Amino acid sequence: MEEGTMKSPGHLAGTMGGRPAAAATAAVPAVPAVPTDCADGGAADADCDYDARQWDVREGCEVRQILDRVADKWSLLVIALLDRRVLRFTELRREIDGISQRMLTVTLRQLERDGLVSRTVHPVVPPRVDYALTPLGATLHDTIQALVTWTEEHQSEIAVARAAYDERVARERGDAPHTPH
């Protein structure tokens, strides 16, 4: 891969490990517990089994909002790049192929607001601002890394399933002749 670009999830495979010792991380204030089961108004029993309804798409669902934020493509790349190192804004922008200055600014602000990224302003001229993962952000990176690893391990199976699906759909439409397996 060319230096300064980040184009494939495979790049994340080498990003697990220790965090920068010099990273200045801001303390994340305690937040009151928020119900995770938005579908029933938060009346979920703490001892109940996993409930997929916690990803309710209705406006105001905290779980859905957090998942939407951390799963967007720019946030995933920022989190991956900040694993094990502190970067300046310009370094992040140079590393993320295709991101605009405005989109990077918005992404960093949202990640900082969620307590996943810390922003340290150094009192020098010209001003220097460093970004680093917080301990909470580091736990999210580990989770993202597990998903990337799963994807890499199963990509050939997914490719076979996609090809079979596409062939079946084409046959059903009459677009392609049936080929025996």
Side-chain angles (χ1 to χ4, degrees):
M1 178 175 19
E2 292 178 22
E3 185 176 320
T5 62
M6 194 170 165
K7 296 183 180 185
S8 93
H11 175 77
L12 299 178
T15 59
M16 291 184 69
R19 310 292 174 249
T25 55
V28 178
V31 179
V34 177
T36 59
D37 191 345
C38 300
D40 70 356
D45 178 12
D47 297 327
C48 70
D49 291 333
Y50 170 81
D51 184 356
R53 291 177 302 152
Q54 67 184 339
W55 299 348
D56 193 338
V57 295
R58 288 181 294 181
E59 190 174 329
C61 178
E62 290 290 324
V63 171
R64 181 76 256 158
Q65 290 172 4
I66 294 167
L67 286 172
D68 288 346
R69 167 86 31 78
V70 300
D72 76 58
K73 72 178 184 177
W74 302 126
S75 294
L76 289 173
L77 291 172
V78 167
I79 291 165
L81 285 167
L82 292 177
D83 182 53
R84 294 188 285 165
R85 58 187 173 165
V86 176
L87 293 172
R88 296 173 71 175
F89 183 92
T90 54
E91 293 170 317
L92 281 165
R93 184 153 181 229
R94 202 172 28 246
E95 291 280 334
I96 303 173
D97 191 33
I99 194 167
S100 68
Q101 181 170 335
R102 177 175 166 16
M103 195 69 238
L104 181 55
T105 298
V106 168
T107 300
L108 287 166
R109 284 182 184 158
Q110 291 172 340
L111 292 171
E112 183 182 7
R113 181 174 184 253
D114 289 343
L116 303 171
V117 168
S118 66
R119 178 179 183 265
T120 304
V121 180
H122 299 278
V124 295
V125 177
R128 189 177 118 209
V129 180
D130 292 333
Y131 294 91
L133 283 184
T134 63
L136 180 62
T139 65
L140 178 58
H141 178 268
D142 293 343
T143 301
I144 292 166
Q145 183 59 51
L147 180 60
V148 170
T149 300
W150 179 90
T151 304
E152 289 172 339
E153 290 172 357
H154 297 283
Q155 65 186 341
S156 60
E157 294 168 68
I158 292 168
V160 168
R162 285 178 175 176
Y165 175 88
D166 292 346
E167 181 183 324
R168 187 181 80 241
V169 169
R171 267 196 327 270
E172 290 170 359
R173 285 191 209 145
D175 295 344
H178 174 67
T179 54
H181 295 278

